[in-house]
Amino acid sequence: MSFRPAPAHIGVLTSGGDAPGMNAAIRAVVRTARFNNLEVSGIYGGYEGLIKNEVRKLNVRDVSNIIQRGGTMLRSARSAAFRTTEGRTVAKATMDRHGMDALIVIGGDGSFAGAAIFQAEHGIPVIGIPGTIDNDLPGTDATIGFDTATNTAMEAVDRIRDTASSHDRLFFVEVMGRTCGAIALHCGIAAGAEYIMVPERPQGIDELITALENTERSKSSVIVIVAEGDEEGGAYEVARKVKARYDHYDTRVSVLGHVQRGGNPSVADRVLASLTGVAAVERLLSGGSAEMVGQANGKLVFIPFRSLLDQSQALDGELLRILGILSI
Ligand code: F6P
């Protein structure tokens, strides 16, 4: 850690796709800052809001009654302007105008890539809090929003199972996750799916059809969970390819989409958001910067942005293995 004066005024923003639990993290940041007699400002609309000067001071009561709400009270965006040197220079000018001397970014890998460049160019201490439903950040066991999104997906698949088994149907259910199969894997185990298709372990249609032939004989319904980033091109495409080869399947497709991003955060997400929100402020106070705070094996961890951006989160091999056993 470098030696520099402790920050006196922290800016906080949410960036990228919103995730349930972001509000709980904002609340934790604001209250921990005020607890330590720091000023804290909310930046509205992510990095775009920093460029457009959408900034407002926050106090402890401004974050009352939000811990249970999905979405983000600070709104979010993906900013093209912040990817440019000019955009980041304007963003720094906004920080100076308000006297903000440190930043907390709640978001995913794209948001942290931007934060890392901003920190390197302008020397602003930045700490990241992992807020994304995708659970695609290495070093932390979970990201804020993943637990809620996976529960939402699981409940949807439970409902689909009711109708699938009433009609002896084969369902392809597409879940989110961008290039990461974590939602598909966890939801697949929790909802008892027969098969999952994930980008980290490309299986191809042949392997899927062999698996379907084996399970079809003994089951009244079959559910295949397809991660949106799977190399076959999503649930509609997988269904089309299967149907082209085996016309006798009565197939249906359900794309769960943005319903997975909404809703009240789960206990796990609220607790993770509270822990990492407090830790982010305390880390800035003790001189930390250019790191993401996460939790691994029950302990807080601080992962440098540079090592985050070099790797991707590996899918849990043991969970993949047990899914294969349990879906026979
Ligand atoms: O990163 C979160 C996420 O929901 C991904 O799972 C998904 O691919 C993407 O965002 C969707 O982005 P948008 O809301 O911009 O359509």
Side-chain angles (χ1 to χ4, degrees):
M1 274 184 237
S2 60
F3 194 76
R4 57 172 164 73
H9 185 168
I10 296 174
V12 57
L13 61 82
T14 48
S15 169
D18 62 289
M22 279 183 163
N23 279 326
I26 296 165
R27 171 181 180 269
V29 166
V30 170
R31 293 205 168 160
T32 310
R34 298 303 297 136
F35 183 82
N36 287 283
N37 294 317
L38 307 177
E39 300 287 347
V40 58
S41 288
I43 299 156
Y44 289 76
Y47 292 122
E48 201 64 20
L50 197 52
I51 291 168
K52 293 185 175 151
N53 191 25
E54 308 235 343
V55 178
R56 188 162 71 80
K57 281 254 179 80
L58 295 175
N59 220 319
V60 287
R61 293 281 84 82
D62 294 319
V63 291
S64 294
N65 202 19
I66 64 165
I67 192 168
Q68 77 278 25
R69 293 188 204 284
T72 160
M73 67 164 271
L74 292 178
R75 305 195 312 276
S76 194
R78 296 190 170 100
S79 171
F82 195 74
R83 293 203 191 98
T84 66
T85 316
E86 297 74 34
R88 290 189 296 272
T89 305
V90 178
K92 170 67 165 62
T94 305
M95 296 218 43
D96 291 344
R97 184 178 317 158
H98 293 271
M100 292 184 282
D101 51 8
L103 187 62
I104 291 180
V105 174
I106 306 168
D109 52 357
S111 311
F112 298 155
I117 300 172
F118 191 54
Q119 189 275 331
E121 280 176 353
H122 297 287
I124 298 278
V126 188
I127 293 287
I129 295 177
T132 165
I133 64 165
D134 298 339
N135 205 23
D136 57 351
L137 292 167
T140 186
D141 290 342
T143 55
I144 297 163
F146 172 67
D147 184 68
T148 308
T150 311
N151 273 288
T152 302
M154 179 197 71
E155 284 168 20
V157 174
D158 288 347
R159 285 171 167 75
I160 288 170
R161 177 72 77 184
D162 291 344
T163 172
S165 50
S166 303
H167 290 269
D168 296 343
R169 276 179 174 155
L170 163 58
F171 262 86
F172 297 92
V173 182
E174 184 176 305
V175 296
M176 275 188 168
R178 205 180 288 275
T179 56
C180 179
I183 296 177
L185 175 58
H186 287 247
C187 174
I189 290 177
E194 277 66 32
Y195 202 77
I196 63 163
M197 301 191 72
V198 288
E200 294 87 341
R201 186 181 167 271
Q203 299 98 327
I205 295 297
D206 289 343
E207 199 180 313
L208 169 62
I209 285 178
T210 307
L212 291 177
E213 282 171 338
N214 291 338
T215 50
E216 192 202 22
R217 288 183 215 107
S218 57
K219 295 201 174 181
S220 64
S221 65
V222 175
I223 292 182
V224 177
I225 300 201
V226 183
E228 65 176 351
D230 177 70
E231 64 163 19
E232 294 297 331
Y236 276 104
E237 198 47 27
V238 173
R240 190 189 63 71
K241 288 174 182 166
V242 169
K243 193 80 180 156
R245 303 250 303 262
Y246 284 86
D247 194 37
H248 69 280
Y249 287 130
D250 187 11
T251 61
R252 292 292 186 275
V253 175
S254 187
V255 176
L256 301 186
H258 285 79
V259 71
Q260 294 159 97
R261 286 242 296 262
N264 299 348
S266 64
V267 171
D269 280 330
R270 296 183 201 194
V271 171
L272 179 63
S274 300
L275 264 172
T276 52
V278 172
V281 175
E282 291 179 345
R283 190 70 169 178
L284 280 173
L285 282 173
S286 59
S289 181
E291 297 168 322
M292 177 191 84
V293 53
Q295 199 185 27
N297 301 319
K299 293 207 163 35
L300 279 174
V301 287
F302 298 91
I303 300 127
F305 285 154
R306 67 174 177 282
S307 70
L308 268 183
L309 306 173
D310 288 347
Q311 332 160 26
S312 55
Q313 172 74 296
L315 215 53
D316 188 323
E318 180 59 6
L319 290 184
L320 269 172
R321 190 182 76 83
I322 69 160
L323 187 121
I325 294 172
L326 300 176
S327 61
I328 54 171

